[in-house]
Amino acid sequence: MNRLRFLTSGESHGKCLTAIIEGVPAGFRIKTSIINEDLARRQVGYGRGGRMKIEHDTVEIKSGVRFGKSTGAPICLEVRNKDYENWSDVMNVEHQEYPTQEVIKKIEEKSFTTVRPGHADYAGAIKYNFSDLRDVLERSSARKTAIEVAVGSVAKQILREFGIMGFSHVVQIGNVKLDFYPKTYTLIKEKAEKSDVRCADDLTADRMRNAIDEAALAGDTLGGKFEVIFGNLPIGLGSYVHWDEALDGRIAQAVMSIPAVKAVEVGAGVDAASLKGSQMHDELFIGRDKKVFRNTNNAGGLEGGMTNGETLVIKGTMKAIPTMKKALATIDINDMKPASAHFERSDTCAVPACAVVAEARIAIILADALLEKLGGDNLKEIKERYA
Ligand code: EPS
């Protein structure tokens, strides 16, 4: 289990975000430019806040890759925070013995004690014994998903060697739902990739933008739903033998732990509750070419915790962002008295970005499951085993 492992570090307004990926076999082509394309995709999105105008996320591969190919050694990635220039006094890693009045003022301005309902502030402050909620916000911020997308992009480059490709699109923002799906996955991908709400239908996208504008005007925020699709997966990734090897469980954990995600669905998902067995299960047929085919994919590409050769279809639900101009009732952890929740620059809606993050997280799980199944230390032997 877990051939491909990674660890990230970094604060939202600290110097940089870093990841170390372990378990990438030698010989895989890893391109900085492809990682940068994925980082840019995460930054796009109608309803994003001012931070995305400051950052132009790019990665530096610091180790584990030579002349464009993985060496089998751990791969270290770094994404620098441009905004750190404005936060260097507040996020200084060194103890300040005699801070100037100017520095004290800056730190005080960025300190806060009024808990944001729905964010990690309250439980985080109690768990780590913090009196300044800045210490919770900095790591709990969704900013860290930037480096996760970089890791996911490496995973996607591993999967691409075996023709496994994926994409994501947004199917709901607030109450606006995508009812009309373009006919093919290729079309959905093309349309979603060009849309600033990652929506495959222009009229629905207009309505989504209007909903975001309305929420922004009211000082409110919006959640939504996205779908991640991966195709060309070999049969038998994951396992039914042990609960923690089931691929549906591993994917659900990976998507569920993205900040603000409240539900994950596989295939028919929650609709499965009302489908009879005869409606739910995807019948198997043999074609003239002797290949197995099915006419439906309610299982979403997973049966018994394993890939079944059909397209993987995962949905995720993101709640509305808890950092809001329209302040909610809360408490001040300083004096434990009623207060209005803290607000600072944030997004009105980050569902399109969340879709790209989920795509990355699922790519990591799939690359891990693929390497686990095939084994091997270098691309050549892995390709032989795959064949
Ligand atoms: C984010 C960066 C953050 C937020 C957002 C995600 O930047 P800043 O706090 O400087 O504006 O915009 O984080 C959240 C919404 C959150 O609740 O944590 C990013 O890079 O995606």
Side-chain angles (χ1 to χ4, degrees):
M1 279 273 290
N2 289 336
R3 241 197 97 85
L4 196 69
R5 301 189 296 160
F6 74 101
L7 202 63
T8 75
S9 84
E11 281 79 37
S12 183
H13 305 97
K15 247 183 209 161
C16 60
L17 303 160
T18 315
I20 295 182
I21 318 171
E22 186 186 67
V24 179
F28 281 91
R29 280 175 295 180
I30 308 291
K31 268 187 151 179
T32 302
S33 59
I34 295 181
I35 304 178
N36 287 341
E37 278 167 25
D38 274 324
L39 288 172
R41 290 169 71 235
R42 193 198 73 99
Q43 288 204 261
V44 178
Y46 196 82
R48 292 283 257 154
R51 180 72 183 270
M52 290 305 106
K53 293 189 183 78
I54 298 172
E55 305 294 344
H56 297 282
D57 292 336
T58 52
V59 77
E60 189 186 343
I61 302 177
K62 303 194 84 126
S63 60
V65 178
R66 185 162 183 250
F67 303 135
K69 283 188 177 172
S70 59
T71 63
I75 296 178
C76 181
L77 306 176
E78 184 183 278
V79 173
R80 297 191 81 76
N81 287 322
K82 283 216 169 65
D83 208 16
Y84 177 69
E85 286 165 25
N86 308 313
W87 288 75
S88 55
D89 289 324
V90 178
M91 295 304 294
N92 197 332
V93 293
E94 301 299 339
H95 171 65
Q96 297 293 287
E97 196 81 57
Y98 304 108
T100 63
Q101 280 308 312
E102 195 193 349
V103 169
I104 292 172
K105 197 171 156 241
K106 273 190 194 169
I107 295 170
E108 278 174 1
E109 269 170 16
K110 295 296 183 190
S111 297
F112 69 102
T113 50
T114 51
V115 167
R116 291 166 299 166
H119 220 296
D121 301 346
Y122 182 59
I126 291 170
K127 179 176 171 70
Y128 294 107
N129 192 30
F130 291 143
S131 53
D132 178 1
L133 295 174
R134 170 68 45 201
D135 283 316
V136 180
L137 181 152
E138 283 298 326
R139 182 61 184 167
S140 64
S141 165
R143 174 75 193 142
K144 63 181 172 296
T145 60
I147 195 71
E148 292 165 3
V149 165
V151 175
S153 192
V154 171
K156 279 160 81 178
Q157 294 182 58
I158 295 173
L159 294 171
R160 210 166 289 182
E161 285 288 351
F162 303 91
I164 302 165
M165 308 274 264
F167 72 97
S168 59
H169 69 120
V170 170
V171 297
Q172 186 175 342
I173 286 182
N175 285 323
V176 183
K177 288 182 189 167
L178 174 72
D179 292 321
F180 170 79
Y181 279 61
K183 278 202 178 72
T184 63
Y185 283 135
T186 314
L187 266 178
I188 296 177
K189 183 184 169 175
E190 269 175 28
K191 296 273 282 180
E193 219 52 62
K194 284 186 196 141
S195 158
D196 60 1
V197 280
R198 291 196 83 70
C199 179
D201 178 59
D202 294 339
L203 279 176
T204 315
D206 283 343
R207 290 171 53 226
M208 285 174 171
R209 274 184 226 102
N210 288 341
I212 294 168
D213 287 343
E214 267 176 40
L217 211 63
D220 221 324
T221 53
L222 283 183
K225 223 178 211 190
F226 53 84
E227 194 169 59
V228 179
I229 314 278
F230 269 89
N232 214 14
L233 288 156
I235 295 176
L237 300 186
S239 174
Y240 60 87
V241 171
H242 295 295
W243 67 276
D244 54 349
E245 289 178 4
L247 199 66
D248 41 9
R250 287 154 73 180
I251 288 171
Q253 200 281 337
V255 178
M256 195 71 172
S257 54
I258 298 169
V261 167
K262 299 307 277 182
V264 184
E265 296 173 70
V266 182
V270 294
D271 292 341
S274 54
L275 295 176
K276 290 180 188 144
S278 55
Q279 297 167 317
M280 172 70 200
H281 302 299
D282 310 307
E283 294 181 297
L284 291 93
F285 305 95
I286 299 278
R288 280 209 197 108
D289 57 0
K290 300 271 181 258
K291 282 194 179 144
V292 174
F293 74 92
R294 310 195 197 207
N295 292 325
T296 54
N297 185 22
N298 287 329
L302 292 167
E303 285 172 314
M306 298 169 295
T307 49
N308 65 359
E310 302 299 314
T311 303
L312 181 77
V313 184
I314 305 291
K315 278 199 192 78
T317 298
M318 185 192 196
K319 70 180 179 185
I321 285 166
T323 310
M324 295 166 59
K325 271 195 196 124
K326 180 174 160 180
L328 298 175
T330 190
I331 54 154
D332 190 321
I333 55 156
N334 188 27
D335 54 16
M336 294 310 268
K337 288 197 172 135
S340 289
H342 169 76
F343 173 73
E344 68 180 52
R345 176 187 66 198
S346 187
D347 307 318
T348 304
C349 175
V351 180
C354 194
V356 175
V357 177
E359 188 189 307
R361 292 262 189 115
I362 293 174
I364 295 164
I365 299 293
L366 293 176
D368 177 38
L370 186 77
L371 295 174
E372 170 191 299
K373 180 167 176 67
L374 298 172
D377 297 302
N378 62 73
L379 181 61
K380 189 171 168 283
E381 71 184 3
I382 296 171
K383 278 252 160 116
E384 282 162 12
R385 290 173 191 194
Y386 187 78

